[in-house]
Amino acid sequence: IRDVERSRGLGDVYKRQGVHQGGIQSIFLYQMFMADLVRDLCNLRVGACIHGIDCTSPVFADGTTFIAVATRAMQVLIDTAYAHSCKWRYTIHPGKCATLIYGVRAQIQNDVFFTLGGMAIPVKTAEVHVGVPLSSGLNVTESITSDNLMRGRRKFFSLLGLGSVTNGLNPLTGSKLYWVFSIPTILY
């Protein structure tokens, strides 16, 4: 999708590429744009399969995940995504990527590293992906739990201020706000 604008000068042409974030067609156009990457990743046949179902690259909104059972296979998937980004001129920032290693190799994480365009992708023990806390130890870490508690507490106290003009909220209203807004934030 291109939008070409003429400047007031001597006919210089500037090109602007991209999809308007929040636009009506943004989701549809993004899905069409990324569909060939997902197809290419699945066609490599190096990713994970569960009961014959290809689980190489689950995608939700703009979050893309790669799942592989071998380190070489994972690097092949990353290289394919990098080639796609070069072809279509968009940037994948390695600092915004994360690697979680599960199983026996999780204890030797220092020996395993992946690169994206020559830059290292950090290996982490815990990460939040699409709002879901993940941990290489298969448990929710203490920091993720404390973050959820802090967010729930902040949300509750911000809601209490709603009735400050009218001498505070009715206790039933405050309780309802707590159970509807704060508890789901803490438990998610």
Side-chain angles (χ1 to χ4, degrees):
I1 300 167
R2 291 186 179 189
D3 184 17
V4 179
E5 300 174 355
R6 286 207 170 269
S7 71
R8 293 182 197 168
L10 299 172
D12 295 333
V13 177
Y14 297 94
K15 294 180 182 177
R16 185 179 66 200
Q17 292 185 187
V19 176
H20 174 67
Q21 186 170 356
I24 295 171
Q25 294 182 336
S26 295
I27 295 171
F28 176 71
L29 294 172
Y30 179 80
Q31 288 173 347
M32 286 180 56
F33 181 71
M34 295 302 286
D36 60 336
L37 172 61
V38 175
R39 184 194 63 237
D40 292 346
L41 292 170
C42 292
N43 288 341
L44 291 171
R45 303 265 188 241
V46 296
C49 285
I50 300 174
H51 296 292
I53 299 171
D54 192 341
C55 301
T56 301
S57 181
V59 178
F60 181 78
D62 64 347
T64 303
T65 305
F66 302 151
I67 303 174
V69 294
T71 54
R72 286 187 183 177
M74 179 59 79
Q75 188 60 55
V76 168
L77 295 173
I78 294 169
D79 291 342
T80 303
Y82 181 71
H84 186 268
S85 72
C86 291
K87 176 182 176 183
W88 294 104
R89 297 186 317 233
Y90 65 91
T91 305
I92 303 172
H93 193 281
K96 293 185 178 182
C97 300
T99 305
L100 292 176
I101 301 173
Y102 295 93
V104 178
R105 303 260 346 225
Q107 285 79 28
I108 54 172
Q109 290 183 6
N110 295 336
D111 298 338
V112 179
F113 67 92
F114 300 101
T115 59
L116 178 68
M119 296 179 67
I121 298 174
V123 177
K124 297 183 178 181
T125 57
E127 181 71 18
V128 177
H129 177 66
V130 195
V132 178
L134 302 172
S135 173
S136 60
L138 299 177
N139 58 358
V140 177
T141 62
E142 185 176 318
S143 65
I144 293 172
T145 303
S146 64
D147 288 346
N148 283 355
L149 287 171
M150 185 174 57
R151 283 197 338 247
R153 194 176 302 130
R154 278 194 315 236
K155 188 175 279 190
F156 178 64
F157 287 127
S158 70
L159 292 170
L160 285 180
L162 293 174
S164 61
V165 177
T166 60
N167 294 329
L169 291 174
N170 177 329
L172 291 174
T173 304
S175 175
K176 184 68 174 177
L177 289 173
Y178 174 74
W179 285 101
V180 169
F181 293 105
S182 294
I183 291 296
T185 301
I186 293 169
L187 295 178
Y188 182 68

